[in-house]
Amino acid sequence: MKPGFREKLLMGFFGLLLVQGLVIFLWFSHAMKASVLDEIKNRGVSTGTSLAVGLVEPMLAMDYLRMKVLMDETTRLGNDIFYTFVLDPDQNILAHTFNSGFPVELKRVNPLNGAGPSSLKLLDTGRQMVYDYAIPITVNNDFLGTLRLGLSQTRAEKVVNQVLVSTIIIILLAIFLAGLVGTLLVNPLIRSVKKLHDSSEQALKGNLDVHTAPTLDRNCWDIMACNREECPAYKNYHHRCWYLAGTLCPTCVEGEYAKKIQSCQHCRVYRKCSGDEIQSLAESFDAMTLSLRGNLSDLKAAEKILNEQKARLQTILDAIPDFISLQDQDGRYVSVNKAFCQILGKPRNEIIGRFNQDLFPPDAAALYNEEDRRILSTGTPLEKENQIKGPNGIKWLHVVKISVSQKTDRPKGLVCSGRDISMLKAVQDQLTHAQKMESVGSLAAGVAHEINTPLGIILGYGQLLLEDVNSEGQVYKDVEVIVKQTKICSKIVKDLLSFSRSNKSVVTDFDVHGALEEVIAVVEHTFSLNHVSIHRGFHGAPLSMKGDKEKIKQVFINLLNNAFDAIDTHGKIYVTTGSVKSGREIRISFIDTGCGIKKDNLVKIFEPFYTTKGPDKGTGLGLSVTFGIIKEHRGRIKAYSPPKTDKTLARGTQFVVFLPTDSN
Amino acid sequence: MDLRTFFLLCMALILAGCDDNEHAISVDLSRTEQVIFRETPDVITYAYLPQYSHRVSYTRHQALVRYLRKETGLNIRQIFPDNFDQHMKMVGDNKIHISFSNPFIYVKIARRYGAHAFARIVEATKKETFRGQVITRTDNTAIQTLGDCRGKTWIAVDPTSAGGYLFPLGHFFSHGITKADFKEIAFAPGPGGKQEKVILSVFAGKYDLGTIREGALDVVAGKIDVAKIRIVSRTPTYPGWVYAAVKTLDNKSLDKIRTALVKLDFNQKDHREILEAANFVNVIPAMDADFDSVRQLTGRLGMEMDQ
């Protein structure tokens, strides 16, 4: 855990004091030690010089006793004086303070040449360190001898160490006292800072009703005795009046803090109630939270309105069947409606914030990005029809993209709206198909009319030739082939005429079950030879309708023949009928167990001349004629492969015909 | 300043506070010897009567002693007796061979020990005689004339001092003032420096009056404000200070010394320095009869020369 402000402050404070104390101690101790040693050395010189002066008279008088007494007294008075002795100019000892003989080596270690300046050397006696002074004894520059004085450096060091210990204690005491005073001074500051921190945390949590600054005993209404209860500062114990807008004090300048503080500083309320910088900070913080609370209330109200408008707008957008999206200037989707989500098959939260490359295949995304870039750079709207493959199949969309302009040069984004025109496209296709069929029908009718007559002549002459030639000969066989093929052509022409509705209809009321039985009776035997059985599932009641019975029977024959062709051998054909739409429509279903039709081919099977059968097995007009007859009767026909109503069949085809009971 | 700079600065300050140890010379104090004094043989001792401190005595006569040593080739050494009695006793003990003293001491040692005068000096006043002075503080208005000294406290240099006691005592006697007329007669205590002690005692106001030899005030001129000392009276003059030799000193050495002393010429630069230091201008030959006036004075005062 990192140290807090208080710990850092105190650590820094004590650290600084410690470093300062250490530096002061080392410098002071160094200077003091040098000073004390210098003082001791100077004292040695001073004592020695004094003694040397005092020794002049005894030396002149050769009074050895006085010399000895003087030196003994000096040694006795100075606790740290180790020894003294006097040498004459010939280096003979005149007097000394040693009790048991004079140390021989001592005489030569600190020689003094003539009456020059004194000499100081540090001697190591083995037991202690001694400062040895050699001081000349002179009278009027005449050299009488040398005074040697030994001052114990060990004792001097002891004195220095005592002073150093005292210094350390004083410095430590000073640091402790400074720390104590610093702590006492820092504590209120830390408390104030902590209170500010707590208040700011409360504010961050949303509680803006914090009171950081201390309350005052007397505030403006009390000091000024104004009794203006309508003033916002009146009886406000937590905020100083100069932080409050709209106060009624006559000396106040109207407005917020920045405007009125200058006038307030001359007011006696300010002089009495303003505190130190920390209190000012706490008061500013309280005023800031007060102001923030007001601003937040306004913001929340505005946010509420905005949210309502946003929800309303989203509802409107979602209610629009067209898809709508809004992208920002970088191509990021920022808003979409429900229809857009449905087209993409993704929820809104998976679309918002994404780009084209996140939502579309790479090729489509690249195309859309290029379009977006061009629109954003040129500002030219884009309108196009777009085919997309969605989860529900292929769809056609009419898309419009418009850049959203703003005051700056660069567009703010672009809006894309699109409409599903798949139904329109289907209707267009059907219309086109109907027009094509109508054209084909007209063409076929014209051709059939022109071809029917020569075919009739060819057939007539062919049949005449058959009567004239030997039925066993080759000619007969050849003519017979011509007659047979001519009949086929005649049948085609007849179908073409039927497809083009060129032949007239005979409308009667008839029973659909009866028509079905008539047709089944014709083909059932033939089918059974190929092991194809027909199973009936007729409605319980007769299903009567108004229409051309023969054409309806042709529809049934075509559908049964197609089922038989799909089965080839060994299969079943289920024929069922029903009444739908409250008896207003008859439903006839043909299900075979044949090879079935590929899904891609299902949409083409009603086109003229389209067949999946082999050569010489179909003309491609059966289902087209069937489609035309049913359409003529205002009915519908649908094809399913595999069958829709019988899930037990994995293969096969089901044709369902819906015929109105009254085709008129 | 970042933390690293601060740390380096602190370390620099701390290291700057460290110092080196001093070099010490090893000394063995266990080897000792006994000190024995050996007197130098064939020494002729020269002593200046300790009317001043030894330092003044040394200062005044060391150059003269060096001159005599050089001029005569004798091993002459100045010695410093502590007081007048010791000086006389050392003459009697033959420890002072050449005595330079006042005429009062001389007549005593001549009578007691047979010392004989062979030279005397010409004072700095260029006179062969000198005199004493009666002094008091300038602000002591009670003593205006010699007669005012009656009933006062008197400090003199020494009972054997000429200018500092004998001459003033005779001077008082001549004016009808005897020792009994004084409230107290004291002498300067301790060894040496007696002339200065008398002046300082009067200056300090301890005694009403003091008697000194003429010229002593010049000695203390740099030590006290001599303007605060007033000379009440001056004594008659008497023969000046005298060089006397003990009777054991051989005549050959004595002649060399006398010749060298008389040879001193104030006009000669090196001699003048010696004479100025000694505070006289010339040395002239002398004989014992030159000091009879002093003997008469002591007789008139009833002083016993043997005491």
Side-chain angles (χ1 to χ4, degrees), chain A residues 262-282:
Chain A
Q262 283 189 343
S263 66
C264 287
Q265 283 175 350
H266 303 293
C267 177
R268 60 193 169 104
V269 175
Y270 184 86
R271 288 199 295 272
K272 282 197 173 186
C273 298
S274 63
D276 57 11
E277 287 83 353
I278 292 290
Q279 184 185 318
S280 296
L281 180 62

Side-chain angles (χ1 to χ4, degrees), chain B residues 40-284:
Chain B
T40 309
D42 300 328
V43 172
I44 296 174
T45 56
Y46 174 102
Y48 175 24
L49 186 72
Q51 64 168 345
Y52 301 114
S53 68
H54 294 332
R55 186 182 296 273
V56 174
S57 300
Y58 181 89
T59 304
R60 286 194 170 186
H61 286 256
Q62 187 59 29
L64 179 62
V65 171
R66 275 201 293 272
Y67 164 77
L68 290 175
R69 200 156 50 219
K70 181 180 176 186
E71 194 70 20
T72 63
L74 299 171
N75 186 11
I76 301 171
R77 184 163 64 86
Q78 186 179 7
I79 61 170
F80 301 85
D82 281 338
N83 51 50
F84 288 14
D85 284 340
Q86 189 185 24
H87 184 100
M88 288 188 290
K89 188 171 184 302
M90 287 176 74
V91 172
D93 292 341
N94 210 28
K95 289 182 178 175
I96 294 174
H97 299 126
I98 304 294
S99 167
F100 179 62
S101 66
N102 65 43
F104 187 30
I105 291 295
Y106 168 69
V107 295
K108 280 193 171 186
I109 60 175
R111 180 180 179 82
R112 290 181 189 175
Y113 309 118
H116 59 279
F118 64 91
R120 59 189 175 107
I121 62 167
V122 178
E123 297 280 336
T125 57
K126 298 187 178 177
K127 294 178 180 174
E128 298 172 10
T129 58
F130 77 108
R131 57 187 176 180
Q133 293 173 331
V134 180
I135 60 170
T136 184
R137 280 183 60 87
T138 309
D139 54 1
N140 189 351
T141 54
I143 301 175
Q144 296 297 332
T145 63
L146 207 58
D148 297 334
C149 295
R150 287 189 178 88
K152 302 295 189 298
T153 54
W154 171 26
I155 180 167
V157 174
D158 192 271
T160 53
S161 172
Y165 178 63
L166 179 64
F167 300 166
L169 185 62
H171 191 53
F172 283 127
F173 188 79
S174 301
H175 287 78
I177 302 167
T178 63
K179 289 200 282 185
D181 292 326
F182 293 95
K183 184 180 179 181
E184 179 190 355
I185 300 175
F187 295 98
K194 288 176 176 284
Q195 295 283 351
E196 297 100 311
K197 289 173 185 174
V198 169
I199 297 169
L200 290 173
S201 295
V202 173
F203 181 79
K206 188 175 181 182
Y207 295 94
D208 296 323
L209 62 113
T211 51
I212 55 172
R213 88 183 302 279
E214 191 174 44
L217 280 173
D218 298 335
V219 178
V220 297
K223 299 173 184 174
I224 62 168
D225 183 8
V226 292
K228 291 185 177 177
I229 301 293
R230 178 161 51 87
I231 299 170
V232 179
S233 181
R234 293 180 176 83
T235 69
T237 57
Y238 292 91
W241 279 51
V242 54
Y243 278 103
V246 293
K247 58 186 178 184
T248 56
L249 184 66
D250 62 289
N251 289 330
K252 189 178 177 184
S253 297
L254 181 60
D255 287 340
K256 285 183 179 176
I257 292 168
R258 182 194 299 114
T259 305
L261 286 172
V262 173
K263 189 181 173 184
L264 285 168
D265 183 3
F266 194 79
N267 296 321
Q268 197 172 327
K269 184 175 178 293
D270 52 342
H271 289 181
R272 185 166 64 241
E273 289 175 355
I274 295 168
L275 292 169
E276 282 178 344
N279 202 32
F280 50 77
V281 297
N282 199 9
V283 179
I284 55 175

Side-chain angles (χ1 to χ4, degrees), chain A residues 474-493:
Chain A
Q474 183 62 39
V475 174
Y476 184 88
K477 289 179 182 175
D478 293 340
V479 173
E480 194 175 44
V481 170
I482 292 169
V483 169
K484 186 183 175 183
Q485 293 302 320
T486 304
K487 283 181 180 176
I488 291 170
C489 287
S490 179
K491 173 77 169 52
I492 291 169
V493 169

Side-chain angles (χ1 to χ4, degrees), chain A residues 16-31:
Chain A
L16 203 59
L17 283 174
L18 203 61
V19 170
Q20 186 185 7
L22 193 62
V23 171
I24 288 174
F25 168 71
L26 288 172
W27 271 92
F28 182 71
S29 64
H30 174 66

Side-chain angles (χ1 to χ4, degrees), chain A residues 354-373:
Chain A
R354 305 293 174 87
F355 295 90
N356 284 327
Q357 53 267 32
D358 301 326
L359 303 173
F360 301 104
D363 293 344
L367 175 65
Y368 298 158
N369 283 337
E370 176 58 25
E371 289 173 357
D372 296 346
R373 187 195 60 75

Side-chain angles (χ1 to χ4, degrees), chain A residues 458-521:
Chain A
I458 292 169
L459 183 61
Y461 279 100
Q463 286 174 340
L464 287 176
L465 281 173
L466 285 175
E467 290 175 0
D468 294 338
V469 296
N470 185 8
S471 61
E472 298 297 328
Q474 183 62 39
V475 174
Y476 184 88
K477 289 179 182 175
D478 293 340
V479 173
E480 194 175 44
V481 170
I482 292 169
V483 169
K484 186 183 175 183
Q485 293 302 320
T486 304
K487 283 181 180 176
I488 291 170
C489 287
S490 179
K491 173 77 169 52
I492 291 169
V493 169
K494 191 179 176 183
D495 287 344
L496 280 172
L497 286 171
S498 297
F499 174 72
S500 62
R501 291 174 292 172
S502 58
N503 48 349
K504 292 180 180 177
S505 298
V506 179
V507 178
T508 59
D509 286 328
F510 65 95
D511 180 19
V512 172
H513 290 163
L516 276 171
E517 284 296 347
E518 288 176 19
V519 172
I520 291 171

